[in-house]
Amino acid sequence: MASPETTKVEAGFGWLAIVRIGLVQAAIGALVMLATTVLNRLMVVEFALAAAIPAGLVAWHYAVQLGRPLWGHGSDKSAAKGGNSRTVWIIGGVAVLACASLLATQATLMLGTSPALGFTLAVVAYTLIGVGVGAGGTSALALLASGVAPQRRAAAAAVTWIMMVAGIVVSAITVGQLLKPFSPERLLTVAGGLALVMVTLTVLATFRLERQAGRFGHAASDEGEAPDFRAAIREIMSETAARRFTIFIFVSMIAFSMQDLILEPFAGLIFGLSPGESTQMGGQHQGGILLGMIVTGIGGSAFSGKRPDGLRIWVICGCLLSAVGLGALGLAAVNGPPWPLGINVFVLGFGNGVFAVAAIGAMMGLAGAGETTREGVRMGVWGASQAIAFGLGGLTGAVGVDLARHALGNDGAAFQLVFGLEAAAFVLAALLAVKATGAAAMRAGATQGEREVYA
């Protein structure tokens, strides 16, 4: 019989611990919101800059996250020494992100008086934003992957993603209210307060958290030192399951993000919706995503959490439902009103939410697959693939619509073409998921503790 101490370690994170990691994700989402939403609007509206400038800065912060594998490896090296090493990386990443958001705020305000200096500081700030998101976010997900039992992964993914979205929404509403009436001084004060609150929240959320992690990932005492970075990358790329999953993440996240910048313009151009009405439609899409996440979090854990490939059906169904929703939008593009646009985007959002949570849960399942590599570098590789796909997907969708409108001379046909390509990408992602998240791949990634749970 296992000793009480062993049983406690193998139990892994409870729901409170999962929520605490979700608070870290919420803090990261809130700080990123300031740079990608508030400052974006200031650059375009108040300072009359080309929209390409803030879009380029946001794309750059995604590009910087190619360093996620390196930061994840650093987190692994620290975790091998025991203690609260991943916690240091999490707090450090959020602290860098907070300071970078303040620098980005100051740089934005300087664009009106000193454009060259302001833009230079903005590039530095958005570089550090990418570093902070990559280092803190990767380490948080690695800690979650190492400490969550297999049957809780879908629910854990749902909780952390929902809390990240909640952090974005709550902070956006709060910051918006605090900025009334707007002034540069008030903006700096609000940004400083947001940074301080989010760093404090992260410190409190991670206090003594790491010691609760179970044996569902690599245990430093059993595995010894982590390999050097190049050896870790070679090991990951030599594994068929890891390569397949990296490709799956890249393709699926491109499909997931292609509609981000074109959905509301589509509603305005084809259906004649006002800005307020298109925003409301965007809320229906987000509502569908939220419901899809909740359903998958509950269903994936309750009905298939103990199977090594239990999340595969959720991933595939989410991709295919997303493809159906996009295919329907393609028909809406050439038919226009009275197409039930609200229901259509809600179904699309539901499929997106199912896919997203199931994919993250499967990612956590494969994170401990290496013989010597640990969760950090693996989550870093997939996080980098996801970040690049997000940036590339949004850009591809927007540029694709512009080119198609010019070439075809018809807005409806242009949107139909892009939505069709996005749907095809989701179908391809579903096909890739068959093997990338199948039983053989997930068993290969199972640690000894997981095999006992699956048994």
Side-chain angles (χ1 to χ4, degrees):
M1 179 180 293
S3 66
E5 181 180 358
T6 302
T7 302
K8 181 180 179 180
V9 172
E10 290 181 347
F13 285 138
W15 294 115
L16 179 59
I18 293 171
V19 169
R20 288 169 65 183
I21 295 179
L23 288 174
V24 174
Q25 294 291 89
I28 292 174
L31 290 168
V32 170
M33 178 282 306
L34 180 68
T36 59
T37 302
V38 178
L39 301 185
N40 172 62
R41 181 238 152 77
L42 288 174
M43 291 182 195
V44 175
V45 179
E46 272 69 22
F47 296 110
L49 299 177
I53 293 177
L57 289 170
V58 171
W60 173 242
H61 110 279
Y62 278 122
V64 171
Q65 292 181 53
L66 274 173
R68 275 180 178 260
L70 187 60
W71 301 317
H73 181 257
S75 174
D76 287 341
K77 296 282 283 187
S78 299
K81 300 175 183 178
N84 295 315
S85 303
R86 290 205 198 276
T87 301
V88 172
W89 278 84
I90 294 170
I91 295 174
V94 174
V96 169
L97 174 58
C99 292
S101 68
L102 289 176
L103 181 59
T105 303
Q106 182 62 60
T108 300
L109 294 176
M110 292 175 63
L111 288 172
T113 55
S114 303
L117 180 57
F119 182 74
T120 300
L121 287 179
V123 172
V124 174
Y126 278 81
T127 300
L128 293 176
I129 288 172
V131 171
V133 172
T138 300
S139 299
L141 290 176
L143 179 59
L144 185 65
S146 68
V148 174
Q151 64 269 26
R152 286 182 174 175
R153 282 187 181 136
V159 168
T160 53
W161 193 304
I162 289 170
M163 292 186 69
M164 181 182 71
V165 173
I168 294 172
V169 173
V170 172
S171 63
I173 294 173
T174 304
V175 168
Q177 290 297 319
L178 293 175
L179 286 177
K180 297 177 181 178
F182 175 80
S183 69
E185 294 76 16
R186 182 180 290 271
L187 174 62
L188 285 172
T189 300
V190 171
L194 179 67
L196 179 61
V197 169
M198 292 305 114
V199 171
T200 302
L201 178 64
T202 301
V203 172
L204 294 176
T206 55
F207 181 68
R208 294 184 176 180
L209 177 63
E210 199 163 347
R211 65 179 61 182
Q212 299 179 30
R215 297 186 186 276
F216 299 105
H218 285 280
S221 59
D222 297 335
E223 300 290 341
E225 287 292 326
D228 65 67
F229 180 69
R230 291 183 180 179
I233 293 296
R234 281 197 301 270
E235 179 183 321
I236 294 171
M237 291 298 101
S238 68
E239 296 173 8
T240 301
R243 288 199 308 272
R244 285 174 174 168
F245 197 78
T246 303
I247 296 171
F248 160 72
I249 286 293
F250 186 76
V251 172
S252 61
M253 288 301 173
I254 282 183
F256 182 81
S257 61
M258 277 183 68
Q259 81 259 7
D260 281 355
L261 300 179
I262 64 174
L263 197 56
E264 290 200 34
F266 161 75
L269 288 170
I270 305 301
F271 284 80
L273 299 188
S274 67
E277 290 171 332
S278 66
T279 300
Q280 185 178 16
M281 181 208 67
Q284 291 174 302
H285 180 241
Q286 294 297 321
I289 291 177
L290 180 62
L291 182 60
M293 289 177 175
I294 294 173
V295 169
T296 307
I298 296 173
S301 293
F303 301 111
S304 52
K306 292 188 177 182
R307 294 174 51 194
D309 63 340
L311 291 175
R312 178 173 62 169
I313 187 64
W314 295 92
V315 173
I316 294 172
C317 287
C319 288
L320 293 179
L321 185 57
S322 297
V324 169
L326 287 163
L329 281 182
L331 293 176
V334 294
N335 285 283
W339 190 272
L341 185 61
I343 296 175
N344 196 154
V345 297
F346 182 85
V347 171
L348 172 61
F350 185 83
N352 289 166
V354 171
F355 146 74
V357 164
I360 294 174
M363 187 187 299
M364 288 193 289
L366 284 168
E371 294 182 4
T372 57
T373 56
R374 294 186 171 84
E375 294 82 7
V377 68
R378 289 171 176 271
M379 295 299 277
V381 168
W382 297 322
S385 178
Q386 174 181 309
I388 294 303
F390 259 102
L392 184 60
L395 185 63
T396 300
V399 173
V401 165
D402 286 341
L403 292 177
R405 290 176 69 191
H406 178 75
L408 300 176
N410 182 282
D411 290 347
F415 279 106
Q416 183 182 45
L417 175 61
V418 174
F419 286 140
L421 291 174
E422 190 177 355
F426 262 122
V427 172
L428 176 58
L431 295 174
L432 292 171
V434 173
K435 288 188 176 181
T437 60
M442 302 309 291
R443 285 196 184 97
T447 61
Q448 181 59 40
E450 290 173 339
R451 293 188 186 103
E452 292 173 1
V453 173
Y454 290 144

